[in-house]
Structure formats: structure tokens, C-alpha cells
Amino acid sequence: MNTLIEQDARQAGLGVKAPFVFVIEGDFQNVEFHVINGACPIRARMWKEALPADKRPYEADLPKVSGKLVGVFAKDAAGNITHPGTSVHMHLLFQDAKSGEMRTGHVEKLTVAPGATLLLPEK
């Protein structure tokens, strides 16, 4: 996804050296996300840290969901704005199928289904 967002931003005439916000609206598959509760699960997995029970985040996997991704593209900002190995930091907003309530969480990984729309800032 890093490459796709960067390519589309360049084609739209955006500079990619400075961070910018983007939105993707549509369907998503194989979503892995979390909500931090005092400790980041990605950092804990990377550093093989055990998380105390009272600091464990909420984590979920969604096979398919429709919603909106709100993210920041920040090239070469791993560890400051983005997680290591990526140029994006994203949150998914979606309506929970069971409760009907809006939910959000930090995206670890996902697949963007065909037909989704990428929205970029104006130059």
C-alpha cells in the first residue's frame, strides 16, 4: 500500500517528502487492527515484550468490512509517525455489524478491495 499511495500522490502532483493525510473509502478484507490500552502490541511483538494484563490492547481481525481509512503517509518517518518498515499510519472507521455503532482502531494490516477510492489533499 505504501507504494500505491506514493505513486498516486506523485501522479496527482503532490510532494512526498513531507507527510500528508489521505483517506480511502470502500471495502477492506483481512483487517487486523488494535486499540491501545497503555501499550502498543506491535512494539511488544517486535521487542518480544510481555504485556501486563491491565495494559493489553483490544485486538481484532475482520475478514471483510466497509468503511473509511484515515491515514498519514510519511516517507522515512518510521518510528516517529509510522511503524517500522512502513510509510503509513492508518486508522479504520467502520460501523459494527452487530451493534450498529461506529468503531475505530489502528490498522496493522489489511487488503483494499477493488473499487475503493483514494482521496488525497489538494496541491
Side-chain angles (χ1 to χ4, degrees):
M1 178 166 330
N2 295 336
T3 305
L4 176 66
I5 293 169
E6 183 174 357
Q7 285 176 343
D8 283 2
R10 286 180 190 277
Q11 288 177 354
L14 287 176
V16 296
K17 291 185 181 183
F20 62 87
V21 176
F22 65 90
V23 173
I24 300 175
E25 297 174 329
D27 295 330
F28 307 96
Q29 300 166 339
N30 307 315
V31 178
E32 293 179 20
F33 76 101
H34 69 264
V35 178
I36 290 180
N37 180 30
C40 177
I42 294 173
R43 175 188 158 81
R45 284 192 284 274
M46 285 180 59
W47 294 97
K48 300 187 184 343
E49 298 171 339
L51 296 176
D54 64 335
K55 301 252 187 222
R56 289 197 180 120
Y58 170 79
E59 295 183 272
D61 296 337
L62 302 172
K64 184 177 180 186
V65 65
S66 294
K68 184 181 293 189
L69 274 178
V70 178
V72 175
F73 179 90
K75 193 163 183 74
D76 302 323
N80 292 322
I81 298 174
T82 69
H83 286 290
T86 183
S87 296
V88 294
H89 181 110
M90 302 178 296
H91 289 252
L92 176 64
L93 293 91
F94 64 98
Q95 188 171 21
D96 183 70
K98 292 180 184 173
S99 70
E101 295 180 355
M102 290 302 293
R103 302 280 188 222
T104 188
H106 175 80
V107 174
E108 294 180 27
K109 34 177 159 168
L110 60 68
T111 300
V112 178
T117 302
L118 172 62
L119 304 171
L120 296 168
E122 293 182 11
K123 304 190 254 186

